[in-house]
């Protein structure tokens, strides 16, 4: 199909899809089949008045031209009207390339005119967007400070950064000096409305400051404040309050910010500025790029709404250039696919790229959903998000490259909730501005919700890498949580069981801004987690952290600890206003290979209440010759002998576990390894 473009979401019974004006279908014919009938769609040569039964025009008939025309035409021809849009497959016609479905306004590169030495401009019709692309590369809104080097696959939250000079309303327990402590919880609401900036960082003579946004970094989030005014005294004010007050997270935020979308800051390759009133797009492309590439301004936020139907399949298609409705918060939509009240829905061998917000949203009451062998790249927020009511969900053999590109409210490639039989397997996740995947974050279950050996969530054989990217703090490659009701001194942990297994995954190469680039993290007292047979290495925080919770097990993991700080995290008095919740956990048959002289098993304030954790049959090895580390590595600054005297790690040993090849990150155990003697099993996770 060539150049098919759709303007509004197509609904499959409701399959809301795009119309001719806003959805580009490039290079290939699309094949639609219903049961044994086949229909064709060709955006260049088709006609919605035809019956769609032929792939090319012939004898007064031929392919449909638009999605809406195709769906309406198929509905008119269906033999069983009560089936609505069920049993419908939308498949790329066999060939070398996928049909491309785009939600963008396209501007030919040849339509741009130079303005000075490096800026080019072109007229367009429509609304501005944060999501503008030169070919397949994402352009960045004009910003200060500039990126070190634009690549076309950049995170908008990447540094360098400017630094806030002071708060609008400092107090004795919330100020720039962090007098209120690690987390300043009593910040005045005025601090949501702006800040004081350093002289020279913001120009009060900008021609139109009201076009600008300020990206404000908190601890584990970043949000945009729209500029209202720049006034005397170096004060910048927002049009609306931020979600969180500036200053609440003094250390983990670093009081950082970025200026976005000011025309005077359009000065570096890869940047753009969109003047909606004048309907002109300005940009600075690489030299001669506009000779070969077109420019796309994302216009449509939702391509397909699938609701109240069954047996819908998408295969071999490419989806690009979705908008985000200018939304910037924890909300999960808009999404390219919005699916609800649907059974037997699948996406296979598709590509989602240049996505403004969420790729696929599995919303209310869905059952038997499969997302297989697909690619997701350059995603504004979540690639896939599912609802707590979801049952029988399989996400397998997909690749994810670049998530949380523009929305930084705790983003991840996968944000998966569910109620029954959710399996996430054999996926590759690389580059996220926060977590690799978030599991749970929902109303959880009782301890007996599933039978022994069964799980609601099974997370197996995934590779999660290069997450965090130094942008935010307090996250993990695989980040599991319950709900806020499971935290606090009066929490009832009987309903905080997630029933998740995390096994045979490689989680590695994390980078936090300040702290907490962990491997596997169970937060908010989430319970019934089994973390086993994982390779966890090159992290920026604990390999495994059970932040309170019960019935949690870490078993037979290979841990290569390269940073200062703890290897394993437990409950602490920060949760529950100083009151520790009852916690029970097991940490057995793990190999802990510590390369940093300041690495420790616990943090000083990690603790537990009631029963001590069951820690045994582990192998510990220190590549440093630092005696202080050996004297203080175990909890409460104890040596190994002192720790054992408290009946911990009685069957554990200190010695070289003999990994196959630490330089090349091969953590199989050699036959002669001492770990084998205490029941630790070797397993192969090489890719």
């Amino acid at each position: 199909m060539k150049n098919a473009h759709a303007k509004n979401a197509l609904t499959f019974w409701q399959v809301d899809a795009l119309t001719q004006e806003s959805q580009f279908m490039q290079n290939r014919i699309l094949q639609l089949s219903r049961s044994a009938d086949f229909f064709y769609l060709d955006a260049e040569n088709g006609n919605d008045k035809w019956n769609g039964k032929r792939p090319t025009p012939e004898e007064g008939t031929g392919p449909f031209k638009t999605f809406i025309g195709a769906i309406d035409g198929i509905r008119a021809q269906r033999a069983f009207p009560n089936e609505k849009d069920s049993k419908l497959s939308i498949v790329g016609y066999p060939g070398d390339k996928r049909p491309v479905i785009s939600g963008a306004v396209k501007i030919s590169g040849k339509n741009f005119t130079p303005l000075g030495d490096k800026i080019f401009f072109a007229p367009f019709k429509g609304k501005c967007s944060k999501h503008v692309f030169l070919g397949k590369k994402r352009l960045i809104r004009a910003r200060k400070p500039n990126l070190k080097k634009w690549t076309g696959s950049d995170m908008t939250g990447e540094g360098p950064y400017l630094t806030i000079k002071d708060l609008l309303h400092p107090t004795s327990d919330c100020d720039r000096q962090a007098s209120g402590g690690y987390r300043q919880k009593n910040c005045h609401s005025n601090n949501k409305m702006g800040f004081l900036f350093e002289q020279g960082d913001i120009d009060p003579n900008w021609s139109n400051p009201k076009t600008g946004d300020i990206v404000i970094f908190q601890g584990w989030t970043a949000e945009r404040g729209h500029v209202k005014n720049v006034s005397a005294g170096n004060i910048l004010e927002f049009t609306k309050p931020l979600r969180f007050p500036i200053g609440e997270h003094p250390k983990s935020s670093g009081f950082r910010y970025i200026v976005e979308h000011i025309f005077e800051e359009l000065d570096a390759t890869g940047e753009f500025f969109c003047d909606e009133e004048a309907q002109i797009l300005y940009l600075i492309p690489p030299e001669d790029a506009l000779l070969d590439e077109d420019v796309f301004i994302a216009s449509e936020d939702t391509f397909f709404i699938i609701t109240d139907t069954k047996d819908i399949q998408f295969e071999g298609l490419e989806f690009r250039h979705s908008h985000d409705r200018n939304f910037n918060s924890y909300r999960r939509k808009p999404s390219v696919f919005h699916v609800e009240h649907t059974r037997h829905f699948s996406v296979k061998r598709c590509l989602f790229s240049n996505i403004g917000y969420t790729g696929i949203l599995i919303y209310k009451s869905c059952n038997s959903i499969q997302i297989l062998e697909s690619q997701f790249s350059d995603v504004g927020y979540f690639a896939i998000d599912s609802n707590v009511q979801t049952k029988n969900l399989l996400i397998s053999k997909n690749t994810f490259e670049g998530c949380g590109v523009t929305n930084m409210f705790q983003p991840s490639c996968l944000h998966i909730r569910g109620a029954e039989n959710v399996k996430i397997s054999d996926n590759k996740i690389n580059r996220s501005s926060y977590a690799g995947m978030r599991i749970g974050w929902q109303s959880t279950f009782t301890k007996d919700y599933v039978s022994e050996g069964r799980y609601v969530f099974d997370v197996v054989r995934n590779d999660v890498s290069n997450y965090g990217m130094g942008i935010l703090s307090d996250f993990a490659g695989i980040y599991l949580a319950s709900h806020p009701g499971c935290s606090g001194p009066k929490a009832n942990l009987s309903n905080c069981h997630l029933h998740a297994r995390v096994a045979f995954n490689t989680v590695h190469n994390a980078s936090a801004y300040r702290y907490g680039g962990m491997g596997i993290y169970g937060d908010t007292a989430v319970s019934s987690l089994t973390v086993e047979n994982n390779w966890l290495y090159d992290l920026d925080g604990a390999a495994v952290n059970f932040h309170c919770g019960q019935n949690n097990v870490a078993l037979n993991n290979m841990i290569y600890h390269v940073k200062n700080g703890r290897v394993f995290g437990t409950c602490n008095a920060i949760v529950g206003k100083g009151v520790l919740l009852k916690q029970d956990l097991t940490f057995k048959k793990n190999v802990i290979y510590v390369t940093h002289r300041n690495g420790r098993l616990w943090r000083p304030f990690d603790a537990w209440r009631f029963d001590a954790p069951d820690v045994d049959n582990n192998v510990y090895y220190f590549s440093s010759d630092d005696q202080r580390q050996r004297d203080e590595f175990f909890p409460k600054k104890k040596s190994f002998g002192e720790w054992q005297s408290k009946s911990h790690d009685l069957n554990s040993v200190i010695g070289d576990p003999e990994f196959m090849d630490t330089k090349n990150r091969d953590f199989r155990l050699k036959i002669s390894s001492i770990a084998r003697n205490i029941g630790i099993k070797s397993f192969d996770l090489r890719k």
Side-chain angles (χ1 to χ4, degrees), residues 395-413:
I395 301 172
S396 184
K397 298 182 180 179
N398 305 285
T399 61
F400 303 87
E401 180 76 29
C403 304
V405 173
T406 55
N407 189 313
M408 290 169 280
F409 278 84
Q410 296 183 276
S412 56
C413 289

Side-chain angles (χ1 to χ4, degrees), residues 41-93:
L41 192 162
D42 185 337
E44 185 174 272
N45 301 305
N47 188 323
D48 286 339
K49 295 181 180 180
W50 293 337
N51 64 14
K53 289 296 187 74
R54 295 181 182 273
T56 57
E58 186 177 347
E59 297 179 357
T61 188
F64 295 114
K65 185 177 184 64
T66 68
F67 268 115
I68 287 189
I71 297 303
D72 286 344
I74 293 171
R75 286 171 178 164
Q77 298 177 60
R78 64 178 179 257
F80 304 101
N82 290 335
E83 288 190 356
K84 301 181 179 178
D85 292 311
S86 298
K87 300 180 182 178
L88 181 66
S89 298
I90 299 182
V91 183
Y93 198 76

Side-chain angles (χ1 to χ4, degrees), residues 183-300:
R183 185 172 181 182
Q184 303 186 129
K185 296 184 178 181
N186 298 312
C187 293
H188 197 280
S189 60
N190 285 354
N191 294 319
K192 296 181 178 182
M193 294 303 302
F195 60 90
L196 275 65
F197 58 86
E198 297 283 358
Q199 184 70 31
D201 285 351
I202 290 177
D203 187 349
N205 296 315
W206 283 335
S207 58
N208 190 1
K210 294 182 180 180
T211 65
D213 288 330
I214 307 297
V215 182
I216 298 291
F217 291 84
Q218 309 282 2
W220 46 83
T221 64
E223 58 181 307
R224 287 175 173 81
H226 193 68
V227 177
K228 176 183 178 182
N229 189 41
V230 179
S231 59
N234 292 349
I235 296 173
L236 185 140
E237 297 175 280
F238 300 134
T239 56
K240 295 180 180 180
L242 300 173
R243 185 182 181 99
F244 303 108
I246 297 172
E248 184 172 321
H249 299 274
K251 293 185 178 179
S252 56
S253 71
F255 289 98
R256 298 168 292 153
Y257 73 97
I258 295 170
V259 176
E260 285 187 340
H261 205 241
I262 296 293
F263 182 76
E264 285 82 358
E265 303 302 335
L266 179 62
D267 58 3
T269 299
E271 293 185 349
F272 76 90
F273 177 85
C274 186
D275 187 333
E276 188 167 304
E277 183 176 351
Q279 296 278 278
I280 296 176
L281 179 70
Y282 301 86
L283 57 85
I284 302 179
E287 187 174 358
D288 295 331
L290 292 172
L291 297 177
D292 303 313
E293 300 284 3
D294 295 324
V295 174
F296 301 89
I297 303 175
S299 175
E300 302 302 323

Side-chain angles (χ1 to χ4, degrees), residues 468-487:
M469 303 180 67
I471 295 172
L472 299 171
S473 298
D474 198 11
F475 54 86
I478 301 176
Y479 192 174
L480 308 100
S482 56
H483 57 91
C486 291
S487 295

Side-chain angles (χ1 to χ4, degrees), residues 30 59 96 128 216 229-230 272 304 469 507 549 585 587 596:
L30 193 66
E59 297 179 357
D96 296 334
C128 287
I216 298 291
N229 189 41
V230 179
F272 76 90
F304 296 93
M469 303 180 67
V507 185
L585 61 92
F587 186 71
H596 197 289

